[in-house]
Amino acid sequence: MIDVGGDRKFYIASEEEILEGKITDVYFMRTREVLEKSGESHHRVYAEVHNYGLPAGYDWAILAGVEEVANLLKGKPVNVYSMDEGELFRIFEPVLAIEGRYVDFGVHEAGLLGILRHATSIATKAARVKLAGWGKPILFFGVRAVHPAIAPMADRYAFIGGCDGISGVLGAELAGVKPTGTMPHALILTMGDQVKAWKAFDEIISGDVPRIALCDTLSDERFESLAAARALGERLHGVRLDTPSSRRGDMRKIVLEVRWALDSSGYKHVKIFVSGGLDEKDVRRLVDIADGFGVGTSIAFPKSIDLAMDIVEVDGKSFSKRGKLPGRKQVYRCENLHDTITKFDVRLERCPVCGKPVKPLLKPLILDGKVVREFEKPSEVRERVLETLKKLRAIEEFNPEPQLFIP
């Protein structure tokens, strides 16, 4: 058998291989070779990253991965402009643009799009789930859904997108937060008894960790929840129902039954958390009766926010393939989330829809190879995303398409 992996234990790219441009499609390498050997490497281009069609039912997306793209391109002879990490965007809008000789950055097109698309897709789905469960904590339990090499990435962008907590240990460390989570079924099964496991957890685990008992392992959710409440009393913060979909039935009815049983037995203080195969529609259906949610796979494997990079200017002249808008562009936004796309050199002061002041969204990220922007902490980006989500909740009618403005 041929050992195609060499000394690798896992089939992942190293940071060095990513920075060297080895994570690319071969045709980008061949393009560079042709341009260099034909004497055409001098051409300067302006390329924009944008979305020309969001998934069905989506009117917006949350941009993520900007800091990683900056790390990918810094030190190269290019200028980069981008929206902020965590910024909401619509179709047609350029979210990032690169200016320079194509031979100096073209091999990185696949890598930077991979970063932006995956991070943006996760952050956008997290934001949608957060909106569905507004007012209730949303925890990301997605580590087991992805390759361990990228689990910290998934944790980071789920958190940026609005999740209130993440369970991954390294992901939480890199995001600057504490990991969230109590117990798996394995603890109860290994000890062989629910009450024994709940009490051992209560006696051993640090007091700053909420006592949330997993209550669906060996018997009915209602009876296990009551047993946990009797075992831990006032120390029990909540119960978690993680019933597999194959045995679930109607989860809303199960939660209502457990709530009734706990309240009737004097345990109104005990909260109910739901997890196990949840998507935003499930969260929306349960948000009025559950106290919190654990969501994993649907955020870790979301619908893709397809971002593409297209050249829109060559050697200072507007030029693009068919189906694209040629020329470098800017996006302006007012406080009412009205967006306007203009030519890059147009200065817009007021929103053409409502007259409110506007601000440009594309700002310098890299100039002559040097990163010129200070990056926020993940918690700071998340707070801005939550402020945007609050605005979305207050807007009666969101326009999914930006205005096009050419004076």
Side-chain angles (χ1 to χ4, degrees):
M1 179 180 290
I2 299 174
D3 182 11
V4 296
D7 294 330
R8 293 178 191 258
K9 301 295 188 297
F10 305 100
Y11 293 99
I12 58 174
S14 66
E15 288 189 3
E16 291 75 17
E17 289 168 328
I18 295 172
L19 292 171
E20 288 171 7
K22 290 185 176 180
I23 306 307
T24 192
D25 299 295
V26 69
Y27 45 75
F28 290 120
M29 288 186 170
R30 290 170 179 163
T31 297
R32 182 174 62 183
E33 183 179 2
V34 170
L35 289 173
E36 289 177 338
K37 291 183 178 180
S38 65
E40 298 289 334
S41 63
H42 61 280
H43 295 294
R44 291 182 62 82
V45 305
Y46 188 88
E48 293 176 337
V49 175
H50 45 219
N51 171 275
Y52 265 60
L54 292 167
Y58 283 46
D59 291 333
W60 48 267
I62 299 296
L63 179 64
V66 175
E67 183 176 347
E68 288 191 89
V69 168
N71 288 328
L72 178 67
L73 296 177
K74 69 180 180 181
K76 295 174 175 54
V78 297
N79 297 326
V80 181
Y81 308 89
S82 79
M83 292 184 180
D84 286 329
E85 191 101 47
E87 194 71 83
L88 176 144
F89 66 91
R90 296 165 165 87
I91 60 171
F92 305 137
E93 296 179 346
V95 298
L96 183 141
I98 308 174
E99 178 183 30
R101 294 195 314 161
Y102 188 78
V103 294
D104 290 327
F105 69 86
V107 294
H108 291 291
E109 179 173 338
L112 74 88
L113 287 178
I115 290 170
L116 291 176
R117 285 179 64 167
H118 203 169
T120 296
S121 299
I122 291 174
T124 300
K125 185 64 174 184
R128 291 177 64 89
V129 174
K130 181 61 180 176
L131 272 178
W134 196 259
K136 304 293 177 67
I138 306 292
L139 308 179
F140 179 57
F141 292 166
V143 170
R144 69 185 63 191
V146 298
H147 192 288
I150 64 168
M153 178 278 290
D155 277 336
R156 178 186 183 86
Y157 295 120
F159 180 68
I160 282 175
C163 287
D164 299 277
I166 47 183
S167 65
V169 175
L170 180 57
E173 178 184 326
L174 296 179
V177 297
K178 290 184 177 181
T180 303
T182 52
M183 66 185 70
H185 292 101
L187 173 64
I188 295 168
L189 292 171
T190 301
M191 297 187 75
D193 179 84
Q194 304 100 310
V195 174
K196 182 180 179 181
W198 297 328
K199 287 185 174 180
F201 185 94
D202 183 39
E203 293 169 1
I204 294 170
I205 298 300
S206 171
D208 63 341
V209 177
R211 271 46 184 164
I212 300 176
L214 184 55
C215 291
D216 67 350
T217 308
L218 299 174
S219 64
D220 182 86
E221 296 88 354
R222 167 162 57 104
F223 295 113
E224 288 204 7
S225 296
L226 288 173
R230 287 191 291 266
L232 300 187
E234 291 297 323
R235 297 191 305 282
L236 182 65
H237 177 72
V239 296
R240 178 163 69 94
L241 312 181
D242 190 57
T243 307
S245 58
S246 61
R247 297 179 58 87
R248 177 174 293 165
D250 189 328
M251 195 63 194
R252 183 175 176 86
K253 291 180 179 178
I254 293 173
V255 174
L256 286 170
E257 180 183 341
V258 172
R259 183 75 275 159
W260 177 272
L262 289 170
D263 291 355
S264 299
S265 300
Y267 301 113
K268 291 186 177 182
H269 71 282
V270 177
K271 299 183 181 299
I272 299 176
F273 299 88
V274 183
S275 60
L278 299 180
D279 199 355
E280 57 188 276
K281 66 180 185 299
D282 305 302
V283 172
R284 192 175 295 110
R285 186 166 183 260
L286 297 170
V287 67
D288 62 320
I289 57 173
D291 297 293
F293 303 91
V295 184
T297 303
S298 67
I299 293 177
F301 275 87
K303 292 181 179 180
S304 178
I305 307 299
D306 294 338
L307 292 169
M309 188 171 82
D310 291 289
I311 292 173
V312 297
E313 180 184 284
V314 178
D315 294 330
K317 296 181 180 180
S318 295
F319 190 55
S320 72
K321 71 179 184 181
R322 62 191 183 96
K324 305 296 180 178
L325 303 179
R328 57 178 74 191
K329 292 169 280 295
Q330 179 59 276
V331 182
Y332 286 92
R333 175 172 298 161
C334 73
E335 62 183 36
N336 293 325
L337 298 184
H338 296 146
D339 284 7
T340 305
I341 299 176
T342 72
K343 296 175 68 174
F344 197 81
D345 57 357
V346 171
R347 183 172 178 81
L348 196 64
E349 300 288 348
R350 296 279 174 176
C351 174
V353 177
C354 65
K356 295 284 188 180
V358 294
K359 63 178 181 180
L361 298 186
L362 284 170
K363 296 173 288 188
L365 177 67
I366 295 174
L367 295 178
D368 296 325
K370 182 179 180 181
V371 177
V372 294
R373 191 183 304 179
E374 292 289 333
F375 291 106
E376 300 170 295
K377 297 177 181 178
S379 58
E380 294 171 332
V381 177
R382 177 178 174 274
E383 285 303 313
R384 285 196 297 100
V385 171
L386 292 179
E387 286 300 317
T388 300
L389 297 183
K390 288 179 184 178
K391 288 184 179 181
L392 284 177
R393 283 172 50 82
I395 293 175
E396 294 183 2
E397 185 176 349
F398 181 84
N399 185 0
E401 292 189 13
Q403 300 287 315
L404 299 180
F405 177 78
I406 299 178

